[in-house]
Amino acid sequence: MSKFKKFSKVILLAFTALFIFVLAGCGNQSKSQTVKVGINPSDAPIWKVVQKKVKSEGIDLQIKEFNDYNQPNTALNQGEVDINAYQHTDFLNAWNKAHKTDLVSIGKTVIQPMALYSHKITKLSQLKDGDKIAIPNDSSNEARALQLLEYNGIIKLNDKKTLPSTKDITENKLNLKFTTLDAAQTARSLDSVDAAVVNGNVASDAKLNPKKAVVTEKINKNSIPWINIIVAQKKDKNNKTYKKVVKAFQSKEVAKEIKKVYGGNEIPAWNAKL
């Protein structure tokens, strides 16, 4: 065999090996599916547990953090993330109505009891005439905050309203002054108001001790609209890969991490008996 033929054979074998290697690489890549999830920063440790669990199933879970209550749904609707996990059912319903979107729930995550916190008082009876109260400004959490105050006898609301706002207060004997803020800002307002109604994850971020809350929302069958959920676009409601992510979240390992991160500010909702 001539040197030229030998050289040609070597080159052919080299290209064949390279081709097989490239194909193998492509095959491995095709087995890994990327899923982008939008979350609040406080939930990052919990989602890292999920990320680790789904990796063994060939899912590359990429975590994107958002600092307010509006960006995650916008990002999902625009395809910047595949799923998000930060909101409860009533918040999603209100968002869809306001923005004419059709985002859907694909699984339960947690319940975050809302609570009234203060740097100035320790019990409701210490509220004074004209005190300033901060509450979330989105329609669902504003209603939830007001209903917490009504349940504890501080105000009365128009009972014909499903999602009451400050305009629906029918009795306010203490002449409380309400300030509405992005939910993520309520805890930060505590130095400038007399009290604030704060969501569980926001309270945890601010290192607020749930045991020192002035009053805390009761968890019962009325809490169902406040269950937090994993959300996707409607076309992906039966996506098998996303369902695997949901299953990984609804696990003992994640429940353990939720307790570690949030203490009493959050409880797993997928197996809660309401």
Side-chain angles (χ1 to χ4, degrees):
M1 184 181 291
S2 67
K3 290 183 178 180
F4 177 77
K5 287 184 178 180
K6 287 181 178 179
F7 180 74
S8 297
K9 187 174 182 180
V10 170
I11 293 296
L12 179 61
L13 289 172
F15 272 107
T16 301
L18 179 61
F19 182 68
I20 293 171
F21 176 79
V22 170
L23 284 179
C26 290
N28 288 335
Q29 289 178 357
S30 66
K31 292 179 181 178
S32 178
Q33 294 178 286
T34 299
V35 177
K36 297 178 183 178
V37 59
I39 65 167
N40 285 324
S42 57
D43 289 337
I46 294 164
W47 278 94
K48 285 179 181 177
V49 175
V50 181
Q51 185 182 54
K52 185 177 180 180
K53 285 180 68 66
V54 298
K55 186 176 181 180
S56 62
E57 297 190 63
I59 299 173
D60 175 20
L61 186 64
Q62 297 181 4
I63 300 169
K64 185 170 183 179
E65 298 177 12
F66 295 93
N67 291 308
D68 70 18
Y69 273 46
N70 292 305
Q71 293 182 68
N73 275 344
T74 300
L76 176 57
N77 192 53
Q78 294 177 351
E80 295 174 17
V81 295
D82 302 303
I83 56 176
N84 68 37
Y86 77 104
Q87 64 196 311
H88 53 64
T89 304
D90 264 18
F91 184 97
L92 175 62
N93 292 340
W95 175 274
N96 278 333
K97 184 177 180 179
H99 296 84
K100 296 180 172 57
T101 50
D102 56 359
L103 305 179
V104 299
S105 169
I106 59 171
K108 298 176 182 178
T109 56
V110 298
I111 302 176
Q112 301 171 332
M114 190 174 260
L116 182 73
Y117 288 91
S118 177
H119 290 336
K120 299 178 181 180
I121 66 171
T122 57
K123 51 187 178 181
L124 288 173
S125 61
Q126 294 172 333
L127 281 173
K128 302 184 302 296
D129 190 274
D131 275 355
K132 296 178 181 179
I133 310 293
I135 60 175
N137 65 1
D138 64 273
S139 60
S140 60
N141 280 314
E142 180 180 356
R144 186 181 180 188
L146 293 172
Q147 287 166 344
L148 172 63
L149 296 176
E150 181 184 43
Y151 181 82
N152 285 279
I154 303 303
I155 58 173
K156 287 186 180 180
L157 299 166
N158 182 346
D159 58 12
K160 294 181 180 180
K161 296 287 186 176
T162 304
L163 292 177
S165 71
T166 53
K167 295 178 181 179
D168 299 306
I169 297 174
T170 58
E171 186 178 295
N172 181 7
K173 291 182 178 179
L174 288 174
N175 299 305
L176 300 174
K177 310 300 181 184
F178 291 95
T179 300
T180 57
L181 305 169
D182 185 283
Q185 304 301 318
T186 50
R188 296 178 187 177
S189 74
L190 282 169
D191 289 330
S192 58
V193 297
D194 297 291
V197 183
V198 185
N199 291 77
N201 63 320
V202 178
S204 180
D205 281 348
K207 309 300 181 185
L208 297 176
N209 186 345
K211 294 181 180 180
K212 293 185 178 181
V214 178
V215 64
T216 302
E217 188 177 56
K218 303 297 182 184
I219 299 300
N220 51 41
K221 63 180 181 180
N222 295 323
S223 306
I224 292 174
W226 316 129
I227 291 176
N228 278 27
I229 49 182
I230 297 173
V231 176
Q233 292 190 26
K234 189 175 182 179
K235 65 182 178 65
D236 295 320
K237 66 179 181 179
N238 295 314
N239 185 294
K240 292 182 179 180
T241 301
Y242 300 170
K243 289 292 187 180
K244 289 180 180 178
V245 175
V246 172
K247 184 178 180 180
F249 191 101
Q250 296 174 345
S251 64
K252 291 181 180 179
E253 297 93 329
V254 170
K256 183 178 179 180
E257 189 66 20
I258 289 169
K259 185 175 181 179
K260 177 181 176 182
V261 173
Y262 285 109
N265 278 323
E266 265 191 21
I267 60 173
W270 60 89
N271 57 5
K273 296 179 180 179
L274 302 178

